[in-house]
Amino acid sequence: MALIWASNFQTGIETIDEQHKELIDRVNKLLDACSQGEGKKVLPEVLDFLQNYVVEHFSTEENLMKKYYYPAYLTHKKEHDNFVATFKSLREEIDTKGTGLLITTRVNRLVVDWLKTHILYVDKQLGSYLKDKI
C-alpha cells in the first residue's frame, strides 16, 4: 500500500516536510516495483538511497533539536538510532543472502510502518515545538 502525502504528515517545518516527501516518494517507488514483481531489481537502489538519505534527514532533525533545546531530544534520537541499527542489520542480511520476496516484504514493512508512525507521532511533536522557535 502506497504512502500518500497528506496534511496529517506535515510537521510545519519546511525542511523536514520536504525531506519526508522525498522519503515517501522513494518508498512508493519500491512499493510500486514490488507490486509489479520488480522489487528485487529496485531494492538495492532504494536501500542505497535510504541508507544515505536517512542519515542526512536524521542529522537535520537532530541538529534542529539541539539548536532549539528540544526536551525530548534523547528519546527522539534513540528512535533514529534504533531505526539505523535495524536497517543496517537488514541490509547486511540482504548483502549476505541476497534479495527475495521475504526480504522485500520485510523492508517494505520496516520502512513504511516505521516512517508513517514516526512522522505522525514523533516528528509532529517536534514540529509543534519548533514552530514557535524557528
Side-chain angles (χ1 to χ4, degrees), residues 30 43 47 50 87 90 94 102-112:
L30 175 61
L43 188 60
L47 290 176
L50 287 173
F87 188 86
L90 189 57
I94 290 165
L102 180 61
I103 292 288
T104 302
T105 302
R106 286 178 53 207
V107 170
N108 285 343
R109 193 170 301 129
L110 168 72
V111 174
V112 172

Side-chain angles (χ1 to χ4, degrees), residues 47-61:
L47 290 176
D48 288 342
F49 167 80
L50 287 173
Q51 193 165 350
N52 295 318
Y53 198 74
V54 159
V55 170
E56 178 184 332
H57 172 64
F58 289 170
S59 292
T60 297
E61 287 185 359

Side-chain angles (χ1 to χ4, degrees), residues 12-87:
I13 308 303
E14 186 176 347
T15 305
I16 292 173
D17 288 339
E18 289 303 315
Q19 290 178 350
H20 286 162
K21 287 177 188 175
E22 180 66 24
L23 284 167
I24 288 171
D25 182 56
R26 294 298 182 116
V27 168
N28 284 335
K29 286 180 182 176
L30 175 61
L31 294 173
D32 289 344
C34 289
S35 70
Q36 297 170 14
E38 301 292 324
K40 287 184 195 180
K41 289 183 187 176
V42 177
L43 188 60
E45 175 190 332
V46 173
L47 290 176
D48 288 342
F49 167 80
L50 287 173
Q51 193 165 350
N52 295 318
Y53 198 74
V54 159
V55 170
E56 178 184 332
H57 172 64
F58 289 170
S59 292
T60 297
E61 287 185 359
E62 290 168 12
N63 287 336
L64 287 170
M65 287 188 271
K66 287 188 282 189
K67 181 176 181 179
Y68 294 102
Y69 303 101
Y70 184 54
Y73 169 77
L74 291 176
T75 304
H76 196 133
K77 183 171 182 353
K78 186 175 182 177
E79 284 209 19
H80 289 171
D81 293 345
N82 288 341
F83 178 84
V84 169
T86 302
F87 188 86

Side-chain angles (χ1 to χ4, degrees), residues 80-130:
H80 289 171
D81 293 345
N82 288 341
F83 178 84
V84 169
T86 302
F87 188 86
K88 181 180 177 187
S89 173
L90 189 57
R91 183 65 194 258
E92 288 170 358
E93 183 178 345
I94 290 165
D95 291 343
T96 306
K97 298 179 182 177
T99 59
L101 182 59
L102 180 61
I103 292 288
T104 302
T105 302
R106 286 178 53 207
V107 170
N108 285 343
R109 193 170 301 129
L110 168 72
V111 174
V112 172
D113 291 348
W114 188 89
L115 185 60
K116 209 173 11 174
T117 302
H118 187 77
I119 291 172
L120 290 173
Y121 299 104
V122 180
D123 286 344
K124 285 193 67 121
Q125 288 177 353
L126 173 61
S128 293
Y129 178 83
L130 292 174

